[in-house]
Structure formats: structure tokens, C-alpha cells
């Protein structure tokens, strides 16, 4: 049996990771770029999509101040690894909406994806929904049409978030995930978009892919983290 399928191991690892992240975030010297965009979205209220690439999920709690940001949930996959991530993220103040399009069985994939869409739209009525549009299995930095569809149906703004820290741990995963190390330099860069009236989903996905990659690259430029 894979270790991450054991709920006890999941809970212990999630608690350990959550504590490590808190320590790192408290000691990193942060730079915020264009944060007024995010502050306005939070002040306006209503639903908001918090969007970042999958490789930066380990930095994501640093971008969402619980004292003033829109209360948010995270869209997490229906996999064993997803369960572990859901527990770790929940300990940072982000309960999960479960569901993914990556399940192997076609019927399960359709069921999980449609349920996640319904739950996501329900959350977006007046709350935040954090999404990694290239997750949970990639390809890296390629956006499917699920995010634009949620934005179109909900009318919620998409808040693009680029996050970086240096030094950092790079995992040997498909996305080369970044985990923080303490006492380094960190950056969070923001951009915002609304679904354009009359636009095609594929067109929006291409444009938003470029914009999301741009804010991530800008954050890496601030910290000096090597782009992969």
C-alpha cells in the first residue's frame, strides 16, 4: 500500500508540512508587486478565483491573508496525493472542494469533474476558490478550459498570482514543485482579469496562460529563482 494512502501518515505529514510552511513564511523577506489589485478584489467582495500554477501550491498560503482576503477554499484532486494536500492546505485555513479531471476511469472522471464544477460555482457565489489550472498532473503551465468556464459561468474575477522564494526546495515531480526554505527572499505578483464577453474558452485559456506565466516569471525575477 502506498504510504500516502494511510490516513495516519497523511495527517502526520500534513501537520509537519503546515508547521514548516508557517515558520518559513514568517522568516522570508517578502516583496509584493501590484498588491492593490488583490486588495480591491477583496474589498469589493463577492466571488473570486485565486489562480496559480501547480508548482507554487506550496507557497500559496502566503498570498492569502486570512484577516482581510475573501474566505477561500481550494480545488483539490480526488487522488490519494490530493487527500494529503487537502489536509495540509486545510491546516493553513483553506478547506477543500474535491474533484479533478485526471481520474483514470472515464465515468469517475466525468462524475468528479461535474461535481467539482457545481461545488466550485456554489463556492464562488460569495467566496474565493483557489485553482491550479495545470494540475494535478500537467502538462506544466498549460491551462485547460475548466478555469475559463468557471469564470464565464460565475462572472467572478480571476486573480492571477505569481509566487516565488529563494532559496527553495525543488521537488523531482512533474511540475518541479517549489517548497520554501526559511530566511530567504520571497515575492508575490498580482494580475486580474474578467472573462471577456463573447470570447471562446480556448482563446481565453491561451491568453490567461500567458498572463499567469508572466506574473510567475516576474516573481522569480524578484527573488532570483531559476526558471524551469
Amino acid at each position: 500500500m502506498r504510504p500516502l494512502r494511510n490516513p495516519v501518515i497523511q495527517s502526520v505529514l500534513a501537520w509537519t508540512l503546515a508547521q514548516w510552511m508557517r515558520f518559513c513564511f514568517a522568516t522570508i523577506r517578502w516583496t509584493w508587486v501590484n498588491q492593490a489589485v488583490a486588495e480591491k478584489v477583496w474589498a469589493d467582495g463577492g466571488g473570486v478565483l485565486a489562480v496559480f500554477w501547480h508548482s507554487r501550491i506550496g507557497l500559496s498560503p502566503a498570498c492569502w491573508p486570512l484577516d482581510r482576503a475573501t474566505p477561500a477554499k481550494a480545488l483539490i484532486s480526488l487522488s490519494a496525493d490530493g487527500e494529503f494536500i487537502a489536509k495540509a492546505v486545510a491546516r493553513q485555513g483553506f478547506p477543500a472542494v474535491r474533484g479533478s479531471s485526471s481520474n483514470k476511469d472515464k465515468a469517475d472522471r466525468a462524475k468528479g469533474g461535474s461535481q467539482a464544477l457545481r461545488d466550485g460555482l456554489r463556492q464562488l457565489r460569495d467566496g474565493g476558490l483557489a485553482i491550479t489550472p495545470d494540475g494535478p498532473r500537467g502538462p506544466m503551465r498549460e491551462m485547460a478550459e475548466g478555469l475559463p468556464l468557471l469564470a464565464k459561468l460565475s462572472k467572478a474575477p480571476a486573480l492571477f498570482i505569481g509566487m516565488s522564494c529563494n532559496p527553495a526546495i525543488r521537488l523531482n515531480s512533474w511540475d518541479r514543485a517549489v517548497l520554501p526554505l526559511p530566511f530567504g527572499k520571497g515575492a508575490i505578483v498580482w494580475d486580474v482579469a474578467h472573462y471577456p464577453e463573447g470570447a471562446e474558452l480556448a482563446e481565453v485559456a491561451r491568453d490567461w496562460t500567458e498572463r499567469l506565466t508572466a506574473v510567475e516569471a516576474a516573481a522569480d525575477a524578484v527573488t532570483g529563482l531559476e526558471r524551469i
Side-chain angles (χ1 to χ4, degrees), residues 55-223:
S55 67
R56 308 304 164 100
I57 195 170
L59 304 180
S60 59
C63 77
W64 212 255
L66 300 180
D67 61 338
R68 64 185 187 280
T70 305
K73 293 184 178 181
L75 183 62
I76 305 291
S77 69
L78 290 166
S79 63
D81 290 352
E83 183 65 32
F84 162 67
I85 295 171
K87 290 182 177 180
V89 170
R91 289 182 178 276
Q92 301 290 305
F94 296 95
V97 174
R98 307 306 303 282
S100 170
S101 61
S102 68
N103 299 297
K104 294 181 179 180
D105 183 83
K106 186 175 181 180
D108 288 345
R109 181 167 64 246
K111 182 178 179 181
S114 61
Q115 183 62 50
L117 177 62
R118 290 192 296 270
D119 291 345
L121 288 171
R122 188 178 300 114
Q123 170 65 18
L124 285 168
R125 289 173 186 170
D126 56 9
L129 185 66
I131 293 182
T132 56
D134 58 342
R137 296 178 182 171
M140 184 178 181
R141 299 194 190 105
E142 289 190 17
M143 185 182 297
E145 295 179 2
L147 170 65
L149 179 60
L150 272 170
K152 180 180 181 179
L153 295 176
S154 68
K155 310 298 185 185
L159 194 56
F160 304 131
I161 310 169
M163 294 169 283
S164 181
C165 66
N166 190 21
I169 299 169
R170 285 274 194 183
L171 300 184
N172 190 28
S173 53
W174 66 265
D175 60 347
R176 299 304 306 275
V178 175
L179 292 179
L181 286 171
F183 305 108
K185 181 185 293 185
I188 301 174
V189 182
W190 309 87
D191 190 12
V192 68
H194 290 79
Y195 191 92
E197 188 70 29
E200 297 292 330
L201 290 173
E203 175 188 354
V204 175
R206 287 192 296 270
D207 176 57
W208 287 8
T209 292
E210 293 178 2
R211 293 179 67 171
L212 183 54
T213 299
V215 293
E216 185 184 87
D220 286 344
V222 172
T223 66

